[in-house]
Amino acid sequence: MTCDNLQTIQQNIARAAGGSGRTADSIQLVAVSKRKDIEVIKQAVSCGQHVFGENYLQEAEQKITLLKNENLCWHFIGHLQSNKARLAAELFDVIETVDRIKIARALDRHAGALDKELRIFIQVNIGREKQKHGVLPEDAENLLKLINRETELKILGLMGMPPHTSDPEAGRSYFREMKKLSDQLAQKKLFADNNAVQLSMGMSADYAIAIEEGATLVRVGTALFGRRE
Ligand SMILES: *Cc1c(COP(=O)(O)O)cnc(C)c1O
């Protein structure tokens, strides 16, 4: 990993943001450091990156504990089981993969016990894929209402991934649908800040397209750190 990679990605982000009438600082880059070791993360920190995403709790626990003094912001982007909610609530600042009321209740209970304000995204299964997690688009409204009614969790926005293909352009219509859904839910005042709803979408292959379609947060691993084994 070099600072050049980071700079290139930031330039691409700025260009895509400009194309959708926004500025680079309205887009957050989450550096996905799963299966990369701590030295690589430290390099990224030295290049100025402070927000990281991790998928696996065990692995993340080590890294987050060892890097405690760096004051980094950690996003959980993997699938979360409710029996792991306590550890997730303890380690992470933002949980991007809340997709059912059960996990929201568990996170809320543990965050409450820790006196921690936990921020979340609702993961939407925008491609309606059987093998993917996430709430179905048509069920999102009900889930947001339940979470708002029953928990103190702060819902920042929606997170989603289009079906995997080799053509990045294929994701565009799904990103557009995510944006439309988030606008509809914002109109119903279901987010913590309905004037600044966040949309976490876009990865190494398609983050520029996602930004053109309204992403405010992109999760980039490979383009930043190289391929994972
Ligand atoms: C691994 C992962 C990423 C990063 O993917 P790259 O293609 O390496 O950029 C982003 N989001 C989620 C949810 C992931 O699991």
Side-chain angles (χ1 to χ4, degrees):
M1 187 267 147
T2 66
C3 293
D4 281 355
N5 293 2
L6 185 59
Q7 220 172 29
T8 302
I9 292 167
Q10 273 160 351
Q11 282 162 0
N12 292 339
I13 288 175
R15 193 177 314 120
S20 63
R22 293 180 292 165
T23 55
D25 59 13
S26 63
I27 315 286
Q28 202 174 32
L29 170 64
V30 175
V32 176
S33 48
K34 66 177 172 220
R35 287 190 255 143
K36 295 287 168 184
D37 58 42
I38 196 152
E39 292 311 317
V40 178
I41 300 177
K42 284 184 181 165
Q43 272 171 26
V45 173
S46 75
C47 305
Q49 179 65 30
H50 285 94
V51 187
F52 293 88
E54 287 281 342
N55 291 56
Y56 310 105
L57 277 177
Q58 243 68 33
E59 181 188 334
E61 184 175 22
Q62 281 198 340
K63 294 175 183 175
I64 295 173
T65 308
L66 287 167
L67 292 165
K68 218 168 195 76
N69 295 330
E70 302 279 354
N71 269 325
L72 306 175
C73 178
W74 293 94
H75 286 224
F76 185 73
I77 61 171
H79 178 60
L80 190 55
Q81 291 159 330
S82 23
N83 63 343
K84 303 277 174 62
R86 188 191 57 77
L87 186 56
E90 203 174 296
L91 293 172
F92 286 87
D93 304 287
V94 180
I95 310 282
E96 292 203 20
T97 49
V98 176
D99 62 359
R100 57 206 191 280
I101 188 64
K102 187 178 175 200
I103 194 75
R105 286 187 191 122
L107 286 169
D108 184 56
R109 190 166 63 247
H110 296 298
L114 294 161
D115 202 17
K116 178 174 179 174
E117 185 178 76
L118 198 57
R119 291 167 286 159
I120 65 166
F121 284 78
I122 304 302
Q123 184 178 359
V124 179
N125 187 350
I126 198 66
R128 296 181 168 80
E129 294 171 278
K130 284 225 161 57
Q131 75 279 17
K132 275 220 180 101
H133 296 288
V135 65
L136 290 173
E138 58 270 30
D139 296 333
E141 178 175 339
N142 193 40
L143 178 60
L144 270 79
K145 283 180 175 163
L146 276 177
I147 293 175
N148 284 325
R149 193 181 308 148
E150 294 188 25
T151 80
E152 305 280 309
L153 299 171
K154 287 193 68 167
I155 309 176
L156 301 184
L158 306 180
M159 177 272 210
M161 282 173 275
H164 183 76
T165 64
S166 54
D167 175 18
E169 273 295 329
R172 191 181 289 278
S173 61
Y174 294 96
F175 295 139
R176 212 168 272 177
E177 267 191 65
M178 286 281 293
K179 171 68 176 153
K180 205 168 112 190
L181 179 62
S182 79
D183 286 345
Q184 286 166 355
L185 298 170
Q187 244 170 21
K188 297 184 174 168
K189 308 271 182 256
L190 294 173
F191 295 103
D193 181 349
N194 293 287
N195 296 312
V197 176
Q198 296 201 41
L199 264 182
S200 172
M201 51 189 200
M203 320 201 306
S204 289
D206 56 9
Y207 64 91
I209 294 167
I211 292 169
E212 286 166 13
E213 299 301 333
T216 67
L217 187 156
V218 292
R219 308 176 311 271
V220 178
T222 310
L224 184 57
F225 296 120
R227 296 183 84 85
R228 296 175 288 271
E229 321 97 57

